[in-house]
Amino acid sequence: MPELPEVETTVRGLEPVLAGQVLSAVEVRRPDLRWPIPLDLGERLLGARVVRLGRRAKYGLIDTDRGDTMIFHLGMSGRWRIDPAEIGKHDHLVLTTGAGRRAALCDPRRFGSLDIVRTESLDRYAPFAVMGPEPLGNRFTAAHLREALKGRKSSIKAALLDQHIVAGLGNIYVCEALHMAHIAPGTKAGRIGTERLERLVRAVKDVLGSAIEAGGSSLRDYARPDGQLGYFAKQWRAYGREGESCACGGTIRRRVDSGRSTFFCASCQR
Ligand SMILES: [Zn+2]
């Protein structure tokens, strides 16, 4: 499942193909993904020039010179294919540029989404309206966390997964950041002191930053025809390593709560 770094990598991979380009053909190949695709999405994009690509949480953003922003979510299995040799049945949107390049949004399980809104009203787009700050942005600080977590009895792990507190963090990166910050995932969120919150904020930024770096180096592969954006191999400190030894000499354990696995080390996370 694509997490924030995969979406960031995808956006960076789309940039050289789409930025500055006029969309000379736009093919919307089905009416819906997870929810309906706006009926006018195709006509609003056709003939428009892409002026900027960006990301908010796990959503990719494509701005045009008409003041529109197309918003895509990759769901469970979505990816963009660059210059595909042929269009397949899972390619639901195909963009062709004036330079003759093609980008196809492929999503076999269709848990993703496609929307188009006015760029000026992007903050009011329903999923964005209630979101906390970007984890890599300047507003995600220990002071923000202290305020947002005040009096919270839930675990710090649940709090970090709460999109109102910080946007776009998924299970893997929360496990990794807590491990890096040496904080036990079950610690009550409201009872973590400033020094540990500072360590946690740094860890969140570090694990995301190094994953994006790994994704960036994997972008080379996308230069080949039919390259697919968005997935790359990563090395985890704790995630998926149940029973293996931790860097501290302890053992990584797994706990399942509400259907989600938490990987942690009881020796160095407290
Ligand atoms: Zn450890």
Side-chain angles (χ1 to χ4, degrees):
M1 177 160 156
E3 298 250 9
L4 188 153
E6 283 89 349
V7 180
E8 180 66 28
T9 302
T10 297
V11 166
R12 291 183 188 186
L14 283 171
E15 217 152 36
V17 180
L18 296 179
Q21 296 295 317
V22 169
L23 300 175
S24 57
V26 176
E27 202 185 341
V28 182
R29 294 165 49 85
R30 56 174 295 122
D32 58 357
L33 293 173
R34 188 169 194 170
W35 55 73
I37 298 169
L39 287 171
D40 62 352
L41 182 137
E43 79 186 56
R44 282 166 77 171
L45 292 178
L46 182 63
R49 185 180 296 276
V50 173
V51 291
R52 201 188 76 94
L53 289 92
R55 177 189 58 74
R56 173 75 169 120
K58 292 199 260 181
Y59 294 81
L61 309 173
I62 299 177
D63 294 354
T64 76
D65 61 353
R66 290 180 185 160
D68 286 326
T69 298
M70 189 188 91
I71 306 165
F72 66 86
H73 194 284
L74 298 173
M76 307 283 285
S77 59
R79 63 194 68 206
W80 284 85
R81 305 199 305 133
I82 303 301
D83 297 329
E86 47 192 54
I87 299 302
K89 68 172 178 174
H90 299 304
D91 295 320
H92 307 309
L93 173 72
V94 183
L95 304 176
T96 306
T97 71
R101 305 219 41 199
R102 274 202 303 188
L105 177 64
C106 171
D107 185 357
R109 297 180 63 187
R110 302 201 306 265
F111 280 108
S113 64
L114 274 174
D115 273 308
I116 191 162
V117 302
R118 298 298 292 165
T119 306
E120 65 203 15
S121 59
L122 199 57
D123 288 346
R124 294 196 295 277
Y125 178 61
F128 298 168
V130 292
M131 262 179 197
E134 282 292 314
L136 290 169
N138 297 335
R139 286 176 50 227
F140 181 61
T141 60
H144 163 73
L145 271 188
R146 196 178 49 225
E147 199 52 38
L149 301 180
K150 201 175 274 177
R152 289 233 174 197
K153 295 193 173 63
S154 65
S155 70
I156 185 62
K157 190 192 173 204
L160 291 177
L161 289 169
D162 180 343
Q163 303 297 301
H164 300 83
I165 293 175
V166 54
L169 286 189
N171 195 35
I172 295 176
Y173 290 96
V174 167
C175 289
E176 291 291 292
L178 287 169
H179 183 262
M180 187 183 264
H182 303 303
I183 296 172
T187 310
K188 288 216 180 356
R191 299 181 66 171
I192 302 177
T194 302
E195 205 172 300
R196 304 179 85 205
L197 291 178
E198 271 164 8
R199 213 159 66 204
L200 181 56
V201 165
R202 266 199 311 275
V204 166
K205 292 178 193 281
D206 275 7
V207 294
L208 292 174
S210 55
I212 288 169
E213 223 166 272
S217 49
S218 76
L219 277 177
R220 279 192 303 272
D221 302 340
Y222 307 137
R224 64 188 158 78
D226 216 5
Q228 301 198 349
L229 294 178
Y231 297 81
F232 47 88
K234 285 162 298 239
Q235 290 249 300
W236 306 121
R237 305 162 55 95
Y239 190 83
R241 297 187 48 196
E242 183 181 16
E244 293 178 37
S245 48
C246 176
C248 77
T251 303
I252 302 292
R253 299 192 195 156
R254 182 169 80 112
R255 197 178 58 213
V256 181
D257 23 34
S258 43
R260 281 183 132 151
S261 288
T262 300
F263 295 89
F264 65 103
C265 169
S267 306
C268 65
Q269 289 178 257
R270 306 216 163 241

